[in-house]
Amino acid sequence: MSEAARTTIDQSEVDRFSAMAAEWWSPTGKFRPLHKFNPVRLAYIRDKACAHFGRDPKSARPLEGLRVLDIGCGGGLLCEPVARMGASVLGADASEKNIGIARTHAAQTGVDVDYRAVTAEALAEAGETFDIVLNMEVVEHVADVDFFIRTCASMVRPGGMMLIATINRTLKARALAIFAAEVVLRWLPRGTHQFEKLVTPEELEAPLLAGGMEIVEKNGVFYNVLQDRWNLSADTDVNYMVLARRPA
């Protein structure tokens, strides 16, 4: 298949999340796990971006002047707080319903985010570039992981960075991230994650390198039941994040 004919969109995944769009901003709804996950994700984004670009993470707007893409932004749970850190944020999602919810919420809160119902490949084709690309909980829902990662990497400016968060394809992840989360604890609707679509850290390396990126680090993320919160960890067997950069 030619590059021009390829797509990153898995329409069944778009339809699945579109059907739940109205619940994006409910902390007790179907996206409750993402609301719980947000503090550790945002702290990681802020701290790594500040270290990379020489900013003070304690300042009121530490990402001032940086252009950020949140690809697969859903209802905007990351876009709004990143915009509040001073970044110019483009939130992109293939679901018109998700973008509609995101725009409505941003209008209500007064946060300036450029939301677009568009694919990664369309943005890349249009020549869009960013200092930071956020690729959070998306790769397990796309149709062509390699093409998606390379496409996203092509939009990272020289000296820029990309953060990827996803779920490892391990038996431990199948037990905890799918069976426990969807069946036992009912944190997520059944079918939210399909084991065969999960992606290992090793499978991200080739398209990142092919896209001209350098892998900086990998970190695990785990849920602490006693604290009722997510924390960074050295264990990448279940949830993990990858930080990559493009040489200046």
Side-chain angles (χ1 to χ4, degrees), residues 67-69 90 123 128-133 155-157 160:
R67 190 170 192 233
V68 177
L69 169 65
L90 194 163
L123 287 171
E128 297 280 4
T129 62
F130 304 87
D131 299 295
I132 302 172
V133 172
M155 293 186 279
V156 179
R157 293 170 177 169

Side-chain angles (χ1 to χ4, degrees), residues 77-248:
L77 298 188
L78 276 178
C79 291
E80 288 194 21
V82 171
R84 286 194 183 97
M85 293 185 203
S88 172
V89 180
L90 194 163
D93 199 280
S95 166
E96 293 273 3
K97 286 188 177 180
N98 286 345
I99 291 299
I101 293 293
R103 284 175 177 158
T104 298
H105 194 272
Q108 292 171 344
T109 57
V111 180
D112 184 17
V113 178
D114 178 7
Y115 283 117
R116 304 184 200 174
V118 67
T119 63
E121 53 267 35
L123 287 171
E125 181 67 24
E128 297 280 4
T129 62
F130 304 87
D131 299 295
I132 302 172
V133 172
L134 301 178
N135 204 316
M136 315 297 275
E137 287 74 47
V138 183
V139 296
E140 68 270 30
H141 301 294
V142 303
D144 187 330
V145 174
D146 281 15
F147 180 52
F148 178 70
I149 292 296
R150 286 190 288 107
T151 300
C152 290
S154 74
M155 293 186 279
V156 179
R157 293 170 177 169
M161 58 188 282
M162 178 158 66
L163 292 93
I164 303 171
T166 189
I167 302 171
N168 206 341
R169 193 175 65 254
T170 62
L171 293 179
K172 186 174 176 181
R174 172 179 267 175
L176 297 178
I178 297 180
F179 183 75
E182 296 182 13
V183 179
V184 180
L185 299 173
R186 297 183 182 179
W187 283 351
L188 297 164
R190 287 199 186 195
T192 297
H193 293 111
Q194 300 163 54
F195 181 73
E196 63 276 8
K197 294 199 71 172
L198 301 183
V199 182
T200 70
E202 293 73 26
E203 289 167 344
L204 293 176
E205 290 182 11
L208 281 170
L209 296 175
M213 304 293 287
E214 297 177 349
I215 296 171
V216 178
E217 66 178 35
K218 303 170 189 174
N219 278 288
V221 190
F222 80 101
Y223 177 70
N224 187 309
V225 178
L226 296 178
Q227 295 178 331
D228 189 26
R229 72 180 186 189
W230 292 85
N231 297 298
L232 292 178
S233 164
D235 184 355
T236 60
D237 285 350
V238 184
N239 295 81
Y240 68 94
M241 294 191 286
V242 175
L243 173 62
R245 69 180 183 94
R246 180 178 295 283

Side-chain angles (χ1 to χ4, degrees), residues 18-30:
S18 294
M20 299 186 288
E23 298 200 39
W24 272 107
W25 286 94
S26 170
T28 58
K30 292 177 180 177

Side-chain angles (χ1 to χ4, degrees), residues 28-106:
T28 58
K30 292 177 180 177
F31 294 102
R32 176 177 175 270
L34 285 183
H35 285 267
K36 288 284 187 181
F37 202 11
N38 243 14
V40 71
R41 294 196 302 176
L42 287 166
Y44 188 79
I45 292 166
R46 179 200 63 209
D47 293 347
K48 295 305 175 182
C50 286
H52 185 78
F53 292 103
R55 307 296 182 86
D56 178 4
K58 295 181 181 178
S59 68
R61 294 170 65 84
L63 305 187
E64 190 81 58
L66 297 176
R67 190 170 192 233
V68 177
L69 169 65
D70 182 10
I71 190 71
C73 67
L77 298 188
L78 276 178
C79 291
E80 288 194 21
V82 171
R84 286 194 183 97
M85 293 185 203
S88 172
V89 180
L90 194 163
D93 199 280
S95 166
E96 293 273 3
K97 286 188 177 180
N98 286 345
I99 291 299
I101 293 293
R103 284 175 177 158
T104 298
H105 194 272

